[in-house]
Amino acid sequence: MTEESTRPREIVLGVSGGIAAYKSCEVLRRLREAGNHVQVVATRSALEFIGAATFEALSGRPVLTGVFENVPEVEHVALGRRADLVVLVPATADLLARMAQGRADDMLTTTLLTARCPVLAVPAMHTEMWEHPATVDNVATLRRRGTVVLEPASGRLTGADTGRGRLPEPPEIAEFARLLLEWGIDDGGMPFPLPRDLEGRRVVVSAGGTAEPLDPVRTLGNRSSGRQGYALARVAAQRGADVTLVAGTVADLDPPAGVELRRVQTTREMRDAVLDAAKAADVVVMAAAVSDFRPASTSVGKIKKGQDAPSIPLEFNPDILRELVTEDVPRRLVVGFAAETGDDGGSVLDYGRAKLERKGCDLLVVNAVGAGRAFEVEDNEGWLLGADGSSLSLPMGSKAALAARVWDAVAERLP
Ligand code: CTP
């Protein structure tokens, strides 16, 4: 770890005036808990929704609003220059319009003009406003200039409305904030993690474990939080892809914004959902930890605890990845995952290479597991092996960063 990568990061949290402003408090808490310094810059209308005291207690700093505050420090210039990241939660239609025009009529917009760091805008508004040609143009302008404008989620809006325009959940916003920060630290020269290079592409991602019922209360399954698959789906959606996420048994995760989520339990249900969605897909990523076996029969009643422990005959489940690469359909790009441990017979990489050949997929992400690695933790590392013989090391970092590298490799290989 370099000194640069361990120093607390300076984040400007810009809050504009929409009802979703209340969720910015949760984002602020998460950014602080991750060890960052956060300066809240709120618009006047944001302060109609949330009192400054709340932001000040959570950030430990006074909230800034107008350009005539703290004039001797020339704060409107200093803030932008100091920032490692600006996060806008929520970015209202009005804020996006003012940014697109390059306005500088309050502390937030002046800060945005002086900032040279990544800017993450998280929109929240009614569907009509999000879809209005004026907003569509403003978003396109901002993206062209390098601002990351997240796709909003679909769901309940203010009042009884539902539709696209909902603020993505705070953990998701914090995940993208971390991605932009860590990319800046480790990959100075690397391409940006969220280009819109998957626009017009359909992708399918599987996530989590599968569970096979033994009886009405017991299951036999694979351990997986689903976090890596969710991160892959999230990053693909924010790179412009049309994403179907097929999720088995997962931890308590929020559905990613802008993604179609299909929930399944057994391997056979996952197989049907993946193969169905794959029909129209350009890419399928099998990040799920699929259970290879299932009980040969499922007991209708709960298996009773008798004298002896029951022995349970098992049978093989379908191999979804194999089916994807052998199916008689137009060729799509298929990415597999492998959690491996090394032993006297070979290294993690040797086993990964052998699995890539056995499975016949185009790319294989190999994770070294054991001793608390990969399962149920926030970070991940490994290698990305290509059927073309390529091999790329995936350094320790967030699951979103690993996802961004996988999509880079996929985007390079798409026709
Ligand atoms: N996979 C699958 N269907 C299965 C088992 C695995 O689609 N029935 C996929 C996983 O989603 C993953 C890849 O295959 O992308 C490798 O999974 P892994 O469990 O490592 O593969 P196995 O073939 O089960 O190999 P092993 O003999 O090491 O368990």
Side-chain angles (χ1 to χ4, degrees):
M1 280 257 174
T2 61
E3 211 173 281
E4 169 69 2
S5 65
T6 51
R7 113 180 132 77
R9 317 300 286 176
E10 271 296 332
I11 300 180
V12 170
L13 177 63
V15 186
S16 57
I19 181 62
Y22 79 92
K23 290 195 182 167
S24 65
C25 301
E26 178 62 22
V27 175
L28 168 54
R29 202 178 57 78
R30 285 175 180 269
L31 295 175
R32 291 281 291 138
E33 277 172 7
N36 304 293
H37 293 161
V38 185
Q39 173 64 58
V40 176
V41 182
T43 62
R44 292 217 182 283
S45 44
L47 295 179
E48 299 283 333
F49 289 95
I50 307 286
T54 305
F55 291 130
E56 292 180 354
L58 290 170
S59 70
R61 292 184 182 179
V63 173
L64 300 172
T65 303
V67 278
F68 296 105
E69 290 158 27
N70 203 1
V71 172
E73 304 283 329
V74 202
E75 200 66 16
H76 68 285
V77 178
L79 253 188
R81 283 196 184 144
R82 244 194 342 256
D84 295 301
L85 176 70
V86 179
V87 188
L88 306 169
V89 184
T92 57
D94 179 66
L95 179 63
L96 295 174
R98 290 195 293 138
M99 289 166 75
Q101 283 183 4
R103 297 286 293 268
D105 41 14
D106 59 9
M107 183 63 100
L108 184 52
T109 44
T110 26
T111 301
L112 282 161
L113 283 183
T114 53
R116 292 293 175 269
C117 58
V119 176
L120 175 65
V122 193
M125 63 196 74
H126 272 81
T127 312
E128 292 85 345
M129 296 173 88
W130 175 250
E131 289 174 353
H132 193 282
T135 309
V136 171
D137 278 357
N138 289 333
V139 169
T141 301
L142 292 169
R143 282 182 176 155
R144 186 167 40 74
R145 290 182 195 149
T147 302
V148 179
V149 183
L150 290 191
E151 292 294 329
S154 291
R156 184 87 191 262
L157 304 168
T158 328
D161 295 3
T162 57
R164 246 157 81 76
R166 200 180 136 90
L167 192 85
E169 292 305 318
E172 178 160 19
I173 299 172
E175 191 174 343
F176 281 117
R178 182 178 170 201
L179 174 64
L180 294 181
L181 283 174
E182 69 183 323
W183 214 264
I185 300 163
D186 299 329
D187 294 276
M190 286 279 291
F192 183 65
L194 294 169
R196 304 281 303 175
D197 57 354
L198 297 177
E199 238 151 37
R201 303 291 190 173
R202 282 169 181 270
V203 312
V204 181
V205 178
S206 69
T210 56
E212 309 291 338
L214 289 166
D215 67 16
V217 293
R218 299 183 179 91
T219 58
L220 172 77
N222 272 11
R223 231 173 97 190
S224 170
S225 68
R227 286 183 210 288
Q228 185 61 68
Y230 272 55
L232 281 153
R234 232 172 229 138
V235 171
Q238 299 302 345
R239 284 170 79 141
D242 185 338
V243 185
T244 303
L245 172 61
V246 179
T249 50
V250 297
D252 184 17
L253 305 176
D254 293 311
V259 165
E260 187 197 330
L261 178 63
R262 295 193 196 167
R263 296 302 307 261
V264 296
Q265 194 197 358
T266 65
T267 298
R268 283 176 294 176
E269 286 167 8
M270 180 170 279
R271 172 192 175 275
D272 293 347
V274 167
L275 293 188
D276 177 54
K279 280 183 205 142
D282 300 291
V283 189
V284 182
V285 182
M286 284 297 298
V290 181
S291 173
D292 287 316
F293 314 102
R294 62 170 179 266
S297 64
T298 304
S299 169
V300 181
K302 185 180 170 191
I303 300 168
K304 300 288 182 283
K305 195 158 71 176
Q307 283 291 58
D308 302 312
S311 67
I312 297 160
L314 301 176
E315 59 189 26
F316 275 114
N317 263 328
D319 186 326
I320 307 170
L321 194 67
R322 275 303 297 162
E323 286 192 34
L324 282 166
V325 297
T326 49
E327 240 192 329
D328 193 15
V329 291
R331 190 79 180 101
R332 59 180 95 78
L333 209 108
V334 179
V335 184
F337 266 71
E340 297 289 344
T341 52
D343 59 22
D344 296 343
S347 68
V348 170
L349 261 182
D350 296 335
Y351 284 114
R353 185 57 68 195
K355 186 166 285 182
L356 174 69
E357 270 160 39
R358 200 167 67 241
K359 293 274 190 173
C361 50
D362 301 284
L363 289 165
L364 187 76
V365 180
V366 185
N367 289 136
V369 291
R373 289 150 93 174
F375 289 117
E376 285 151 31
V377 293
E378 295 296 332
D379 287 4
N380 217 349
E381 67 180 330
W383 291 268
L384 182 61
L385 306 182
D388 51 10
S390 62
S391 148
L392 176 73
S393 154
L394 304 166
M396 180 60 91
S398 70
K399 291 186 173 177
L402 189 138
R405 290 194 170 81
V406 171
W407 291 122
D408 282 347
V410 165
E412 261 173 37
R413 285 166 173 81
L414 283 174

